Amino acid sequence: MSETVRAAAPSPERVLIFDTTLRDGEQCPGATMTFEEKLAVAEMLDGMGVDIIEAGFPIASNGDFEAVSEIARRSRNAVIAGLARAIPADIARAGEAVRVAKRGRIHTFVSTSPIHLAHQMRKTEDEVLEIILRTVAQARDLIDDVEWSAMDATRTPIDYLCRCVEAAIRAGATTINLPDTVGYATPDEYRAMFRAVRERVPNADKAIFSVHCHNDLGLAIANSLAGVEGGARQIECTINGIGERAGNAALEEAVMAIRTRADVLPYATGIDTTQLVRASKLVAGATHFPVQYNKAIVGRNAFAHESGIHQDGMLKNQSTYEIMTPESVGVHKTSLVMGKHSGRAAFRSKLDEMGYGLSDNQFQDAFERFKALADRKKHVYDEDIEALVDENLATAHDRIRLVSLTVIAGTRGPQRATMRLDIDGRVVTEEADGNGPVDAVLNAIKTLVPHEASLELYDVHAVTGGTDAQAEVSVRLKQDDRIVTARGTDPDTLVASAKAYLAALNKLLAGASRRLHAQHAAAE
Ligand code: KIV
Ligand code: ZN
């Protein structure tokens, strides 16, 4: 062996990133995304190097099916997965949705823990084994790439878990996922479970093992990395860690832990980490789930150094208090503050720098909004531009639009709002009083667009500092079993409130019209 070959470090083993933002993430209450938002998120994930995108649960609704198949149709590099319970109709529907992808995957799952078998499924161990053999084989008849998950694996006795895994691989599963469904495991336990299964299952070498961790005890990332040490080579995660209850392992944290601690984690992912912050903002914007300020990697404060000692150290050498650079995750120090004298070229270059690839029409709309904002606000910061472009993309297909709003407010009530809306191309005007200006604005909307939805959340914060900062309002509406959240931004808090409320109503309408199409299709 030559000297150079002996001295070369072993190349790190590749760990696949399986993103389930559009399935496990979207499944949590209030995180509903519109069809267009799902497409935008999928495009971002595909572009940043995610290996597998779980695009949805096709049997859940026609909207889910349409989104998964459109994402499958548009996919460039990523494998597109559709989730299915261990039910023949689910598997057939998932197969149909991902069939058009360059590379599609059916992801089917069944519970294996005694608690789930006794109380949820009311089935014996042998019955579940038989279901695994039958449903995995059905999926494998439809497609070559089949993932099988043992739901609640971490509360399943190891002997039975091994029998289930062996059966799934025998029936044709190519990926075996062992989720910590209820976020109960500790890292040592989770690592040991993977080691035991891989050692004891005779055909274990025929499949890739996968981790899927929920964050109920705040251990999702630690458990995911422990599972990889135990032999898993796929991490299931979501952008910003959104997901059921306390959420899933956060993609950005898993990827940056592997990259930053290559000395003890000799693995590699295919993710372009400079896209992480952009992806985080896109998902936060689409789901309207704000990212906590101190969130690892993508939080607003993740690279802020406030204390004197830290600032002093940073000025002397960045490595004193920074274990990774802001640039490596896509945070750019604001180089160019925009204002009313900034022209098209400067705006275009700012959008490029921020990672937006807009079509000509989208650029034109964004530029007009930017000019209107710059007329009202001396300095337009990156955060303002982000809010403006994201809102532009999110509202492109809205049926109800705000035309104008005038509010009389102050100590001498009642407060009164005069609102003009464009509803499906027809302009209508209304006046309404309220107990305060926000109440008056919402009453005007309710008169113009009668609806049953109840307001579950109303939240205001400033996009940047300064008294001329834009207000960002988040609104959550609930109608029957649907919960939608939406955002609106404007230098005027009342206009932002109206925009946010209308955006949420538009989401409810978009869902309703997709269900309507589904009913027509079913009746035909
Ligand atoms: O948490 C879980 O067990 C899941 C499965 C459907 C994979 O999300
Ligand atoms: Zn899950």
Side-chain angles (χ1 to χ4, degrees), residues 421-433:
L421 296 182
D422 177 328
I423 306 177
D424 288 331
R426 202 168 58 88
V427 176
V428 285
T429 309
E430 188 60 64
E431 261 186 19
D433 290 348

Side-chain angles (χ1 to χ4, degrees), residues 26-49:
E26 214 243 357
Q27 187 170 312
C28 69
T32 328
M33 293 179 231
T34 62
F35 181 74
E36 288 75 24
E37 285 165 346
K38 288 182 187 177
L39 296 188
V41 170
E43 190 181 347
M44 171 100 230
L45 297 173
D46 201 353
M48 70 193 272

Side-chain angles (χ1 to χ4, degrees), residues 23-24 212 214 248:
R23 200 278 298 170
D24 220 335
H212 178 115
H214 283 269
N248 289 63

Side-chain angles (χ1 to χ4, degrees), residues 220-436:
I221 284 293
N223 284 339
S224 300
L225 297 175
V228 171
E229 282 171 351
R233 288 294 175 270
Q234 173 177 291
I235 299 179
E236 304 200 356
C237 44
T238 59
I239 300 286
N240 296 339
I242 63 168
E244 284 278 357
R245 307 181 309 278
N248 289 63
L251 180 147
E252 60 278 6
E253 294 175 21
V255 167
M256 288 311 287
I258 288 174
R259 180 180 149 145
T260 309
R261 295 309 311 272
D263 52 334
V264 287
L265 298 167
Y267 314 107
T269 73
I271 301 294
D272 171 2
T273 61
T274 63
Q275 303 290 319
L276 289 173
V277 165
R278 181 78 209 99
S280 161
K281 288 189 169 151
L282 182 69
V283 170
T287 56
H288 305 282
F289 267 39
V291 175
Q292 76 193 56
Y293 283 5
N294 60 334
K295 164 84 179 62
I297 318 296
V298 293
R300 185 184 279 203
N301 290 354
F303 293 93
H305 301 275
E306 193 69 39
S307 92
I309 296 176
H310 286 211
Q311 285 181 349
D312 176 58
M314 283 293 291
L315 288 173
K316 290 175 176 147
N317 188 316
Q318 278 201 334
S319 68
T320 49
Y321 290 97
E322 249 172 32
I323 58 169
M324 54 201 156
T325 64
E327 291 77 16
S328 67
V329 300
V331 176
H332 299 286
K333 303 261 178 312
T334 302
S335 51
L336 184 61
V337 178
M338 310 287 288
K340 69 175 172 186
H341 299 298
S342 310
R344 277 171 182 282
F347 187 61
R348 168 89 68 193
S349 105
K350 174 55 96 182
L351 291 180
D352 288 346
E353 184 192 306
M354 292 170 70
Y356 283 109
L358 300 188
S359 69
D360 287 347
N361 283 347
Q362 288 168 336
F363 174 79
Q364 186 53 33
D365 285 349
F367 185 64
E368 279 165 21
R369 283 182 186 229
F370 159 70
K371 278 299 204 191
L373 181 63
D375 272 344
R376 299 167 71 186
K377 197 169 180 288
K378 193 164 173 223
H379 297 306
V380 178
Y381 297 100
D382 287 5
E383 290 88 341
D384 291 315
I385 295 177
E386 249 158 37
L388 169 153
V389 177
D390 289 343
E391 184 173 292
N392 210 25
L393 296 177
T395 57
H397 300 272
D398 282 357
R399 289 175 55 189
I400 312 170
R401 289 169 186 281
L402 179 67
V403 178
S404 65
L405 174 67
T406 311
V407 182
I408 301 173
T411 49
R412 291 180 56 189
Q415 286 73 25
R416 169 159 299 179
T418 308
M419 178 174 286
R420 181 165 294 184
L421 296 182
D422 177 328
I423 306 177
D424 288 331
R426 202 168 58 88
V427 176
V428 285
T429 309
E430 188 60 64
E431 261 186 19
D433 290 348
N435 187 13

Side-chain angles (χ1 to χ4, degrees), residues 197-217:
V197 173
R198 290 183 61 250
E199 266 165 36
R200 290 167 54 171
V201 170
N203 52 5
D205 60 324
K206 307 261 180 314
I208 292 178
F209 280 78
S210 171
V211 296
H212 178 115
C213 297
H214 283 269
N215 206 26
D216 300 66
L217 294 174

Side-chain angles (χ1 to χ4, degrees), residues 20 23-24 27 54 83-84 107-110 116 147-153 177-182 212-214 236 244-245 248:
T20 181
R23 200 278 298 170
D24 220 335
Q27 187 170 312
E54 185 161 57
L83 186 71
H107 174 195
T108 183
F109 69 98
V110 71
H116 283 210
E147 172 167 337
W148 177 76
S149 289
M151 195 172 201
D152 208 14
N177 180 36
L178 302 179
D180 185 25
T181 304
V182 291
H212 178 115
C213 297
H214 283 269
E236 304 200 356
E244 284 278 357
R245 307 181 309 278
N248 289 63

